[in-house]
Amino acid sequence: MIQPPSRRAALLLLACAAWPARASEDADRARRALEKGEIRPLDEILRAARAAVPGDVVAVDLKRDDGQWLYKLRILGADGKRRSVKVDAGSLKILDEDDDD
């Protein structure tokens, strides 16, 4: 029997479908940064972000800003509110969090 996808899997599929054509380039850039030790693995980033703001991660964006790698995550809380969280991709330090709504 085929099971319906979980909410998290469905959100991931939705996020992947919405990626721009540059997604492959972005993935290569992230992979190179990880291999060089400039950023931490995504599962560690997600764990740190969820510890600061519990909920389901619905979007992830990796950027390089003034020589620093940053992850910006959007998290949907159990209360239905969306929050943005910025995480230093190298140290896992939470740099900023705020409500999107």
Side-chain angles (χ1 to χ4, degrees), residues 1-3 9 18 20 33 39 42 45 47-50 52 54 59 65 67 76-77 85 87 96:
M1 173 182 245
I2 297 175
Q3 297 291 324
I39 65 173
L42 185 57
I45 300 294
R47 206 171 12 257
R50 284 190 192 117
D65 187 25
L76 181 63
V85 179
V87 181
D96 187 31

Side-chain angles (χ1 to χ4, degrees), residues 22 25-33 62-64 69:
R22 293 186 30 192
E25 293 173 25
D26 290 345
D28 290 341
R29 184 173 55 115
R31 186 176 5 268
R32 285 190 303 271
L62 176 65
K63 296 205 182 262
R64 188 149 175 99
W69 287 103

Side-chain angles (χ1 to χ4, degrees), residues 1-43:
M1 173 182 245
I2 297 175
Q3 297 291 324
S6 69
R7 179 177 177 196
R8 184 169 291 137
L11 289 172
L12 180 60
L13 289 172
L14 179 62
C16 289
W19 279 5
R22 293 186 30 192
S24 179
E25 293 173 25
D26 290 345
D28 290 341
R29 184 173 55 115
R31 186 176 5 268
R32 285 190 303 271
L34 179 63
E35 289 170 352
K36 291 179 182 178
E38 296 174 349
I39 65 173
R40 305 286 286 272
L42 185 57
D43 63 331

Side-chain angles (χ1 to χ4, degrees), residues 35-97:
E35 289 170 352
K36 291 179 182 178
E38 296 174 349
I39 65 173
R40 305 286 286 272
L42 185 57
D43 63 331
E44 293 179 22
I45 300 294
L46 295 173
R47 206 171 12 257
R50 284 190 192 117
V53 179
D56 291 321
V57 174
V58 296
V60 178
D61 189 24
L62 176 65
K63 296 205 182 262
R64 188 149 175 99
D65 187 25
D66 292 329
Q68 181 181 21
W69 287 103
L70 302 173
Y71 271 104
K72 181 179 179 183
L73 299 98
R74 288 205 175 91
I75 298 178
L76 181 63
D79 59 1
K81 290 187 179 183
R82 289 176 299 154
R83 301 196 67 198
S84 292
V85 179
K86 288 183 186 171
V87 181
D88 181 300
S91 70
L92 302 179
K93 180 179 177 186
I94 304 299
L95 302 174
D96 187 31
E97 59 180 84

